């Protein structure tokens, strides 16, 4: 099932999101299932222009193991959780 939605309703920046945005989205599947996150597109301002990053954690919080941190426009390979929860943090 596709998961969409911004961190807030504000679209104040030239990248489609405001400056200094920090938000977390947790995706949870039913118990006994895993989650496959497939990137269809990615447009995050890369360093040295910006310090924007999407971090994906294997579990219910940003204290869970980091699967990967993504920036730029290259489409990452799909990632899969080991349990039924993934946490995405955009900074």
């Amino acid at each position: 099932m596709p998961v969409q939605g911004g961190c807030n309703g504000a679209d104040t920046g030239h990248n489609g999101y405001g400056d200094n945005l920090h938000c977390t989205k947790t995706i949870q599947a039913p118990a006994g299932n895993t989650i496959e996150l497939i990137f269809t597109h990615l447009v995050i301002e890369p360093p040295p222009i910006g310090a924007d990053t999407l971090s994906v954690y294997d579990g219910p919080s940003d204290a869970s193991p980091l699967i990967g941190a993504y920036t730029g426009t290259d489409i990452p390979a799909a990632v899969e959780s080991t349990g039924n929860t993934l946490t995405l943090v955009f900074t």
Side-chain angles (χ1 to χ4, degrees):
M1 163 187 355
V3 175
Q4 297 180 346
C7 296
N8 63 23
D11 180 3
T12 58
H14 67 280
N15 290 319
Y17 51 85
D19 291 338
N20 301 313
L21 182 65
H22 178 95
C23 63
T24 301
K25 186 169 192 102
T26 300
I27 304 168
Q28 186 170 19
N33 291 283
T34 59
I35 299 166
E36 182 179 32
L37 180 64
I38 300 171
F39 293 87
T40 58
H41 61 277
L42 185 72
V43 181
I44 299 176
E45 191 172 65
I49 299 167
D52 303 338
T53 305
L54 175 66
S55 300
V56 179
Y57 296 90
D58 189 13
S61 75
D62 61 358
S64 302
L66 178 67
I67 293 175
Y70 310 101
T71 190
T73 57
D74 292 338
I75 304 298
V79 297
E80 187 169 350
S81 64
T82 57
N84 69 326
T85 309
L86 281 178
T87 298
L88 287 70
V89 178
F90 181 84
T91 51

